[in-house]
Amino acid sequence: MKRFFVVAVPGGYAVASMHAALGLVARSEHYARDSAEAEAERLNMQTEADLARARSTIAVQRQHAFTERRSVRWFEPDAFA
């Protein structure tokens, strides 16, 4: 899913994304379309990598959520018992 895309603006091109409340939000401005497309592709790849990392972290947390839990507190034996 492409989150960032190239939009023509007066004087060049902009890398933009769609925001629910704000509409189009420009991330960067470029004179050449090639550099704008390269930046949009880089941002899309970075976003996908971040999402994959988050999914793997969630999977690891779910895997360890149902393991046996051990008490962390430890008391010395009571000498007067």
Side-chain angles (χ1 to χ4, degrees), residues 54-74:
R55 286 184 189 120
S56 68
T57 302
I58 290 171
V60 167
Q61 290 173 350
R62 284 185 184 161
Q63 179 183 4
H64 295 295
F66 299 108
T67 59
E68 179 183 345
R69 300 195 182 223
R70 298 182 183 169
S71 177
V72 185
R73 299 179 69 185
W74 180 80

Side-chain angles (χ1 to χ4, degrees), residues 1-78:
M1 179 175 165
K2 299 229 180 229
R3 296 179 186 269
F4 298 98
F5 48 92
V6 178
V7 178
V9 294
Y13 299 92
V15 175
S17 64
M18 185 61 91
H19 189 276
L22 303 175
L24 282 177
V25 178
R27 293 288 302 243
S28 61
E29 295 183 0
H30 302 266
Y31 291 112
R33 184 175 182 89
D34 294 338
S35 65
E37 288 176 349
E39 179 69 12
E41 185 64 28
R42 185 189 69 78
L43 288 172
N44 285 326
M45 288 174 51
Q46 181 180 1
T47 302
E48 289 299 320
D50 292 342
L51 286 173
R53 190 177 318 112
R55 286 184 189 120
S56 68
T57 302
I58 290 171
V60 167
Q61 290 173 350
R62 284 185 184 161
Q63 179 183 4
H64 295 295
F66 299 108
T67 59
E68 179 183 345
R69 300 195 182 223
R70 298 182 183 169
S71 177
V72 185
R73 299 179 69 185
W74 180 80
F75 298 98
E76 291 188 21
D78 191 3

